[in-house]
């Protein structure tokens, strides 16, 4: 991953990442409703709401800036795709609560790692500050998901 040293470029990444997270949590919420687990569906719905709030924050911070309109290949994602664009290939009729929680936890950890890496490698103090804030928010999501994963251990 190339370091991000420009606030507008960072915010363009943050907007896509948070939108991906909101979409994924909404999809997982709908899947859990379909599979009859209203409690986990409500949790994922709340997480989608938090991601939409983070997206609104990123958009508000862009304010006077013009964010670059990046093509998919121009994003500087660690693995070539947004850390929060989790594959929903497993969201079929056999998806379990445990699998859904693990999928969400993995995505949030990747999002947190992305922001932490930007904070560590940037030379721009504004980007560092924003990346640290976003990494802290993602760390809160990771902690919440870890609690839910512990409540729903995998059956071996």
């Amino acid at each position: 991953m190339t370091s991000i040293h420009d606030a507008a470029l960072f915010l363009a990444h943050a907007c896509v990442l948070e939108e991906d997270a909101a979409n994924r949590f909404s999809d997982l919420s709908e899947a859990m409703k379909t599979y009859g687990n209203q409690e986990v569906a409500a949790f994922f719905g709340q997480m989608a709401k938090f991601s939409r709030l983070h997206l609104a924050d990123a958009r508000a911070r862009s304010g006077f800036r013009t964010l670059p309109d990046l093509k998919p290949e121009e994003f500087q994602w660690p693995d070539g795709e947004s850390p929060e664009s989790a594959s929903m290939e497993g969201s079929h009729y056999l998806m379990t609560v445990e699998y859904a929680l693990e999928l969400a936890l993995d995505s949030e950890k990747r999002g947190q790692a992305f922001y932490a890496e930007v904070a560590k490698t940037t030379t721009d103090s504004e980007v560092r500050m924003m990346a640290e804030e976003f990494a802290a928010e993602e760390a809160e999501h990771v902690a919440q998901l870890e609690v839910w994963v512990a409540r729903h251990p995998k059956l071996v």
Side-chain angles (χ1 to χ4, degrees):
M1 180 179 103
T2 308
S3 297
I4 297 175
H5 308 289
D6 175 76
L9 182 60
F10 171 76
L11 289 167
H13 281 75
C15 285
V16 169
L17 193 148
E18 296 302 335
E19 188 169 6
D20 286 346
N23 291 338
R24 179 182 30 77
F25 279 124
S26 291
D27 289 347
L28 288 171
S29 178
E30 289 305 311
M32 288 298 99
K33 287 177 191 171
T34 299
Y35 306 132
N37 194 316
Q38 297 306 314
E39 180 189 25
V40 177
F43 170 68
F44 283 142
Q46 187 66 33
M47 295 298 283
K49 181 179 174 186
F50 291 147
S51 293
R52 283 192 283 286
L53 289 172
H54 294 168
L55 174 59
D57 180 38
R59 286 181 176 155
R61 289 176 187 234
S62 64
F64 61 90
R65 296 180 181 94
T66 300
L67 298 186
D69 186 17
L70 301 173
K71 296 177 182 137
E73 65 274 8
E74 293 175 320
F75 282 93
Q76 298 175 34
W77 304 125
D79 298 318
E81 66 179 0
S82 168
E84 299 257 14
S85 67
S87 167
M88 291 296 290
E89 67 190 29
S91 66
H92 49 71
Y93 70 96
L94 295 177
M95 178 185 268
T96 64
V97 169
E98 297 80 16
Y99 179 76
L101 288 166
E102 289 289 340
L103 186 68
L105 178 59
D106 182 59
S107 292
E108 289 299 304
K109 284 181 175 179
R110 287 194 324 265
Q112 193 274 333
F114 170 78
Y115 288 132
E117 181 67 17
V118 170
K120 186 172 86 175
T121 59
T122 189
T123 57
D124 184 281
S125 59
E126 183 183 16
V127 170
R128 181 176 301 108
M129 178 203 66
M130 288 189 292
E132 286 171 350
E133 285 179 35
F134 280 60
E137 289 172 351
E138 295 300 312
E140 290 174 20
H141 294 175
V142 167
Q144 289 176 307
L145 280 157
E146 286 174 338
V147 167
W148 280 80
V149 166
R151 286 175 52 192
H152 298 276
K154 288 182 183 174
L155 301 175
V156 223

